[in-house]
Amino acid sequence: MSEFSSSALTWPPLVAPYDAALRAAVADVLAAYDPLAIIAAGSVLRGQGGPTSDIDLYVLHVAPFRQRLQRRYAGVPFEIFINPPEQVRRYFAEEHAAARPVTAHILTTGFVVLDRDPILQTLRAEAATWLNTPPALSDDALLWRRYLIADELDNARDVVEADPACAVLILHSVVSRLVEYAFLARGQNLPRQKALVAALAALDPEAGATVRAFYAAADASTRLELATQLA
């Protein structure tokens, strides 16, 4: 168990059961690991959580291994990420290349529960830099994405009469790719999944309205028309 003073811990203003859950989760982390720092993040801490929202707990330690755990405390689901600093830096680079800077977002926006080493502030500064660096897909990478979209759209057209269910399945992939492309082609990171449609509507109101109409449509032929319009 880590030796530390309880005064070293700082707690975000959470209501029950989240406050008790976070304290229990941190106690388990301290009992099992020797953390340099602990950050709590997630929509719950921003006051935007839903009934099934979880809390992300990011743990920095010096041991040369990483873990990702799923736990529940007081009924609240947790994702616990345990990493050494060098692995965090690899995540920064890998997630930037994928335009999904999850780790950088957690470290930048999360609440610092424990800070026992200067490496935390160093990584938070690096995370902010990564978040402010737009993704830069090459022209070839964007072209390849357009090819995949066009190919799937043709496949949906081929089966929309014979197998409408299969056509809708393919069209869902088409629309998902198109939504991602809307951000990537503008040099923007992909939003969180739960905010994807709302973010698209803010970026391109017409495209956002088309996506909402696509998922509200009752038949495959209408969805094909809307997906084609979106493309």
Side-chain angles (χ1 to χ4, degrees):
M1 179 176 180
S2 302
E3 294 183 3
F4 71 103
S5 169
S6 59
S7 62
L9 298 175
T10 306
W11 303 102
L14 293 173
V15 298
Y18 298 109
D19 180 72
L22 179 59
R23 291 174 186 269
V26 169
D28 268 7
V29 167
L30 292 169
Y33 305 93
D34 186 20
L36 301 174
I38 301 174
I39 289 180
S43 56
V44 167
L45 279 82
R46 299 190 297 272
Q48 303 169 342
T52 61
S53 295
D54 64 0
I55 293 178
D56 296 320
L57 207 61
Y58 215 93
V59 180
L60 295 176
H61 70 162
V62 294
F65 68 87
R66 57 180 175 164
Q67 282 186 296
R68 181 173 179 174
L69 308 173
Q70 292 181 320
R71 298 286 187 269
R72 279 185 179 270
Y73 298 93
V76 178
F78 278 75
E79 289 272 5
I80 304 176
F81 306 87
I82 301 159
N83 291 290
E86 57 270 21
Q87 181 61 43
V88 174
R89 290 186 167 112
R90 281 193 285 270
Y91 286 146
F92 286 161
E94 292 169 1
E95 293 169 1
H96 174 74
R100 292 186 184 275
V102 177
T103 301
H105 187 267
I106 289 175
L107 264 67
T108 302
T109 65
F111 185 91
V112 178
V113 176
L114 177 67
D115 181 358
R116 302 170 68 192
D117 192 282
I119 189 61
L120 174 61
Q121 297 308 323
T122 299
L123 288 175
R124 280 165 65 87
E126 293 176 18
T129 298
W130 281 108
L131 282 182
N132 290 324
T133 304
L137 273 71
S138 68
D139 289 343
D140 284 346
L142 290 172
L143 178 63
W144 176 245
R145 285 177 176 269
R146 293 198 299 274
Y147 166 78
L148 293 175
I149 291 167
D151 185 57
E152 285 192 329
L153 198 52
D154 283 342
N155 289 338
R157 289 194 188 97
D158 286 342
V159 299
V160 68
E161 297 295 336
D163 193 343
C166 185
V168 170
L169 180 66
I170 297 170
L171 288 169
H172 169 72
S173 176
V174 169
V175 171
S176 294
R177 291 183 189 275
L178 283 167
V179 171
E180 290 187 352
Y181 187 86
F183 294 94
L184 298 175
R186 291 170 170 84
Q188 296 189 22
N189 286 315
L190 299 176
R192 295 179 306 117
Q193 188 179 42
K194 290 189 288 187
L196 200 53
V197 176
L200 176 65
L203 180 73
D204 184 334
E206 183 179 355
T210 303
V211 168
R212 292 190 187 279
F214 172 87
Y215 283 106
D219 61 87
S221 295
T222 302
R223 288 192 175 192
L224 176 59
E225 292 174 8
L226 289 165
T228 302
Q229 177 184 328
L230 186 66

